[in-house]
Short mmCIF file of all heavy atoms in Angstrom, two decimals:
data_model
loop_
_atom_site.label_atom_id
_atom_site.label_comp_id
_atom_site.label_asym_id
_atom_site.label_seq_id
_atom_site.Cartn_x
_atom_site.Cartn_y
_atom_site.Cartn_z
N ARG A 85 81.79 -32.24 35.64
CA ARG A 85 82.80 -33.22 35.26
C ARG A 85 83.49 -32.79 33.99
O ARG A 85 82.96 -31.97 33.23
CB ARG A 85 82.13 -34.59 35.08
CG ARG A 85 81.64 -35.17 36.36
CD ARG A 85 80.98 -36.49 36.21
NE ARG A 85 80.94 -37.00 34.85
CZ ARG A 85 80.31 -38.12 34.53
NH1 ARG A 85 79.67 -38.79 35.45
NH2 ARG A 85 80.29 -38.56 33.30
N ASP A 87 83.66 -34.26 31.21
CA ASP A 87 82.89 -34.55 30.01
C ASP A 87 81.63 -33.71 29.92
O ASP A 87 80.80 -33.95 29.04
CB ASP A 87 82.52 -36.04 29.97
CG ASP A 87 81.76 -36.47 31.22
OD1 ASP A 87 81.50 -35.62 32.09
OD2 ASP A 87 81.43 -37.66 31.30
N LEU A 89 79.07 -33.45 32.04
CA LEU A 89 77.93 -33.90 32.82
C LEU A 89 78.05 -33.39 34.25
O LEU A 89 79.16 -33.20 34.76
CB LEU A 89 77.85 -35.43 32.83
CG LEU A 89 77.60 -36.09 31.47
CD1 LEU A 89 77.66 -37.60 31.61
CD2 LEU A 89 76.25 -35.64 30.92
N ILE A 93 76.91 -38.07 38.28
CA ILE A 93 76.14 -38.83 37.29
C ILE A 93 77.08 -39.79 36.60
O ILE A 93 78.09 -39.37 36.02
CB ILE A 93 75.48 -37.90 36.26
CG1 ILE A 93 74.47 -37.00 36.98
CG2 ILE A 93 74.80 -38.69 35.17
CD1 ILE A 93 73.75 -36.07 36.06
N GLY A 94 76.77 -41.08 36.63
CA GLY A 94 77.61 -42.07 35.98
C GLY A 94 77.26 -42.20 34.51
O GLY A 94 76.25 -41.68 34.05
N ARG A 95 78.07 -42.88 33.76
CA ARG A 95 77.80 -43.06 32.34
C ARG A 95 76.76 -44.14 32.17
O ARG A 95 76.67 -45.07 32.95
CB ARG A 95 79.10 -43.42 31.61
CG ARG A 95 80.18 -42.35 31.74
CD ARG A 95 81.36 -42.68 30.85
NE ARG A 95 80.99 -42.66 29.46
CZ ARG A 95 80.90 -41.56 28.73
NH1 ARG A 95 81.13 -40.38 29.29
NH2 ARG A 95 80.56 -41.60 27.46
N PRO A 96 75.95 -44.08 31.14
CA PRO A 96 74.91 -45.09 30.94
C PRO A 96 75.52 -46.44 30.62
O PRO A 96 76.60 -46.52 30.02
CB PRO A 96 74.11 -44.55 29.75
CG PRO A 96 75.05 -43.64 29.05
CD PRO A 96 75.92 -43.04 30.11
N SER A 97 74.82 -47.49 31.03
CA SER A 97 75.31 -48.84 30.76
C SER A 97 74.77 -49.27 29.42
O SER A 97 73.63 -49.68 29.28
CB SER A 97 74.83 -49.79 31.86
OG SER A 97 73.43 -49.75 31.96
N ALA A 98 75.56 -49.12 28.37
CA ALA A 98 75.17 -49.51 27.02
C ALA A 98 76.43 -49.72 26.21
O ALA A 98 77.55 -49.60 26.71
CB ALA A 98 74.29 -48.42 26.38
N PHE A 99 76.24 -50.04 24.93
CA PHE A 99 77.40 -50.19 24.07
C PHE A 99 78.11 -48.86 23.93
O PHE A 99 77.51 -47.81 24.06
CB PHE A 99 76.96 -50.70 22.70
CG PHE A 99 76.45 -52.10 22.73
CD1 PHE A 99 75.08 -52.33 22.63
CD2 PHE A 99 77.29 -53.18 22.89
CE1 PHE A 99 74.58 -53.61 22.67
CE2 PHE A 99 76.79 -54.46 22.92
CZ PHE A 99 75.44 -54.68 22.82
N PRO A 100 79.39 -48.87 23.61
CA PRO A 100 80.14 -47.60 23.48
C PRO A 100 79.47 -46.68 22.48
O PRO A 100 79.15 -47.08 21.37
CB PRO A 100 81.53 -48.06 22.99
CG PRO A 100 81.64 -49.47 23.45
CD PRO A 100 80.25 -50.03 23.42
N GLY A 101 79.26 -45.44 22.92
CA GLY A 101 78.67 -44.44 22.04
C GLY A 101 77.17 -44.53 21.93
O GLY A 101 76.56 -43.82 21.14
N ALA A 102 76.53 -45.41 22.68
CA ALA A 102 75.08 -45.56 22.55
C ALA A 102 74.35 -44.31 22.98
O ALA A 102 73.27 -44.01 22.48
CB ALA A 102 74.59 -46.75 23.38
N GLU A 103 74.94 -43.54 23.93
CA GLU A 103 74.25 -42.34 24.38
C GLU A 103 74.24 -41.25 23.33
O GLU A 103 73.52 -40.26 23.46
CB GLU A 103 74.92 -41.81 25.66
CG GLU A 103 76.35 -41.27 25.47
CD GLU A 103 77.38 -42.39 25.59
OE1 GLU A 103 76.97 -43.56 25.51
OE2 GLU A 103 78.57 -42.09 25.78
N LEU A 104 75.03 -41.39 22.26
CA LEU A 104 75.07 -40.38 21.21
C LEU A 104 74.03 -40.63 20.13
O LEU A 104 73.88 -39.81 19.24
CB LEU A 104 76.46 -40.35 20.56
CG LEU A 104 77.63 -40.05 21.50
CD1 LEU A 104 78.93 -40.04 20.72
CD2 LEU A 104 77.42 -38.69 22.19
N ARG A 105 73.36 -41.76 20.18
CA ARG A 105 72.39 -42.07 19.13
C ARG A 105 70.99 -41.86 19.68
O ARG A 105 70.63 -42.43 20.70
CB ARG A 105 72.55 -43.53 18.68
CG ARG A 105 73.90 -43.82 18.05
CD ARG A 105 73.86 -45.16 17.35
NE ARG A 105 73.59 -46.25 18.28
CZ ARG A 105 74.52 -46.94 18.89
NH1 ARG A 105 75.78 -46.66 18.70
NH2 ARG A 105 74.20 -47.93 19.72
#
Side-chain angles (χ1 to χ4, degrees):
R85 292 179 1 185
D87 56 2
L89 296 175
I93 297 181
R95 300 188 64 82
S97 57
F99 292 105
E103 67 273 16
L104 301 180
R105 297 193 298 268

